[in-house]
Amino acid sequence: MATAKRILPASTNPRDFVIATMGSHSALQILKGARDEGMRNLVICKEGSERPYKSFGVADEIITLKEWSDWNPELEAKLAERNAIIIPHGSYVAYLGHERVQKMPGMYYGTKEILHWESDRTMEREWLLQAQIKLPKVFEKPEDIDKPVIVKFHGAGGGFGYFVVKTPEQFYEVKDRKYPDQNDFVIQEYIVGVPLYAHYFYSPITGELEIMSFDKRYESNADSIGRIKAQDQLTANIHTSYTIVGNIPLVVRESMLPQFFEMGERVVEVSKKLCGGKGLFGPFCLETIVTRKLEVFVFEISARIVAGTNPFIEGSPYTALKYDVPMSTGRRIARDIKQAIELGRLEEILG
Ligand code: ATP
């Protein structure tokens, strides 16, 4: 799975490199972060989506493509000419696809091996279990359902079509009526609690795991159903969906922080074993539900920057404690890259 051996630029001057990303998701903070660390940046936009990058004045260069499918060897060559280091984010992986990203030749911040572990539900579960992370129980077949479960269809954008039932009969009633042809789903124990997204950063250069911030999501329509009374919800026959609209910053109970540090550390340690090398590094996120007994269940891991870090362009309460400058996750990435270049350790932060 390792990428072909490549020759890296020998320069130890960060100004000889460009931090590049796709114009979407968390690009604004990635670009600003590069600037703040004194590095040049570049954004690749789909025609029609350049406006924020122009208007907020954060980009040194904007390259526009008609379609994401125009992300071709010619573009790769342009990026290589500039010594561009690509910062992947959720949209980058979603639009280009895991397999394509694995094969792309350019300099890429992060571990490509981990994409594999993250994109396959069974492998992701194996990784988290080895890291002694609490996971919602998974039911092998509908007949086994004996408590409330959430049924998730694979690739369901924004959690659309997810439904909650608590018996096999209810499962078949909903599934056969609404989704008779969809058979790629997972049945997960429904955890009653509050969603909480923990944003981490692990630097191979400093060897330190940092907690950057936390957020919760603002999801349509899950976050609006409670605004009408139960009887109206039934009358209107509303189906819950989780389309993400924005992110809301959070701080957690201070007494929970040690647990969050330990969880992040175990996930990184196990990833090194699984990938047989660098393992997971850079920003990542544990997507959790915290119960009333303060048990933390992880229902997903994102092995890169998440959009939940966007409220913290000026830093979070946690980064304010650690850094004497406003430290966003985007800026933290740029700092990692800058230090790696200056120390001649670039290879260590590329996938
Ligand atoms: P992605 O990051 O892949 O877009 P997501 O992060 O939105 O997905 P999903 O797994 O799609 O996460 O979950 C959507 C919503 O369902 C989240 O708001 C989450 O709080 C809720 N949810 C997911 N799994 C569970 C669970 N096991 N128990 C309770 N709520 C859950």
Side-chain angles (χ1 to χ4, degrees):
M1 183 77 43
T3 35
K5 257 261 168 282
R6 66 184 154 209
I7 316 264
L8 294 175
S11 169
T12 53
N13 179 0
R15 297 285 301 172
D16 290 340
F17 294 79
V18 168
I19 289 192
T21 196
M22 178 188 260
S24 183
H25 192 270
S26 45
L28 287 169
Q29 63 158 309
I30 292 172
L31 298 171
K32 174 150 193 326
R35 281 257 178 97
D36 288 345
E37 288 298 307
M39 290 188 68
R40 290 185 306 131
N41 71 35
L42 172 167
V43 63
I44 301 129
C45 291
K46 195 163 139 183
E47 208 170 273
S49 64
E50 309 88 338
R51 180 125 185 222
Y53 310 102
K54 282 189 181 146
S55 171
F56 294 119
V58 287
D60 294 330
E61 185 180 2
I62 299 179
I63 296 180
T64 303
L65 302 180
K66 250 196 155 40
E67 298 296 335
W68 291 129
S69 53
D70 295 338
W71 194 300
N72 54 23
E74 209 181 308
L75 173 65
E76 292 288 345
K78 265 193 202 171
L79 295 175
E81 256 169 45
R82 291 160 175 74
N83 282 344
I85 300 175
I86 279 277
I87 314 298
H89 52 51
S91 302
Y92 178 81
V93 178
Y95 296 151
L96 298 179
H98 278 96
E99 300 215 336
R100 176 105 195 268
V101 169
Q102 291 271 12
K103 292 189 199 124
M104 285 162 86
M107 288 191 279
Y108 171 101
Y109 178 79
T111 322
K112 286 192 176 176
E113 277 88 345
I114 212 70
L115 289 171
H116 197 51
W117 284 89
E118 182 207 22
S119 62
D120 179 310
R121 275 205 191 108
T122 315
M123 289 171 74
E124 179 187 75
R125 210 173 157 79
E126 174 61 26
W127 171 15
L128 295 174
L129 281 175
Q130 281 196 33
Q132 294 162 40
I133 299 292
K134 236 184 215 119
L135 302 177
K137 180 176 166 185
V138 165
F139 292 80
E140 291 300 325
K141 48 186 195 305
E143 287 67 27
D144 298 339
I145 299 174
D146 60 356
K147 52 162 65 165
V149 296
I150 180 165
V151 182
K152 301 179 175 185
F153 290 104
H154 191 62
F160 195 80
Y162 287 9
F163 59 90
V164 177
V165 289
K166 68 170 190 188
T167 63
E169 294 70 33
Q170 284 176 349
F171 170 88
Y172 283 113
E173 200 278 314
V174 180
K175 160 87 177 70
D176 293 346
R177 181 165 47 84
K178 295 184 61 194
Y179 311 101
D181 302 323
Q182 295 200 41
N183 292 311
D184 187 9
F185 55 80
V186 65
I187 305 172
Q188 232 178 48
E189 173 187 5
Y190 185 84
I191 308 294
V192 180
V194 289
L196 179 70
Y197 295 74
H199 316 141
Y200 295 93
F201 191 92
Y202 173 70
S203 164
I205 302 300
T206 63
E208 187 182 354
L209 176 88
E210 299 168 42
I211 285 182
M212 300 300 290
S213 45
F214 295 90
D215 81 300
K216 68 172 192 168
R217 294 182 171 180
Y218 198 40
E219 292 164 328
S220 193
N221 55 21
D223 287 316
S224 62
I225 289 172
R227 289 161 58 91
I228 55 175
K229 65 179 179 181
Q231 192 186 355
D232 293 342
Q233 292 173 23
L234 293 174
T235 314
N237 194 20
I238 300 166
H239 299 289
T240 317
S241 56
Y242 300 91
T243 305
I244 178 101
V245 178
N247 301 86
I248 305 167
L250 262 179
V251 287
V252 299
R253 282 173 70 149
E254 200 157 311
S255 57
M256 293 181 74
L257 285 174
Q259 185 181 356
F260 274 106
F261 273 111
E262 284 156 23
M263 286 166 60
E265 241 150 34
R266 293 200 300 267
V267 165
V268 169
E269 279 319 306
V270 171
S271 77
K272 287 182 187 166
K273 217 170 61 188
L274 297 178
C275 295
K278 296 177 189 172
L280 175 66
F281 64 85
F284 66 99
C285 173
L286 292 181
E287 311 191 349
T288 78
I289 310 266
V290 184
T291 69
R292 70 190 169 87
K293 292 183 182 158
L294 297 181
E295 289 175 303
V296 182
F297 286 86
V298 172
F299 63 89
E300 195 165 302
I301 179 167
S302 286
R304 67 190 67 75
I305 186 169
V306 289
T309 58
N310 284 339
F312 306 106
I313 288 185
E314 280 296 295
S316 76
Y318 302 101
T319 61
L321 296 167
K322 194 170 172 68
Y323 293 96
D324 53 9
V325 293
M327 185 57 73
S328 68
T329 293
R331 183 169 184 177
R332 186 66 192 83
I333 294 171
R335 187 167 281 195
D336 213 36
I337 293 174
K338 189 172 127 182
Q339 290 177 335
I341 295 170
E342 286 172 343
L343 295 168
R345 294 172 63 183
L346 188 55
E347 177 62 43
E348 290 176 49
I349 54 136
L350 298 179

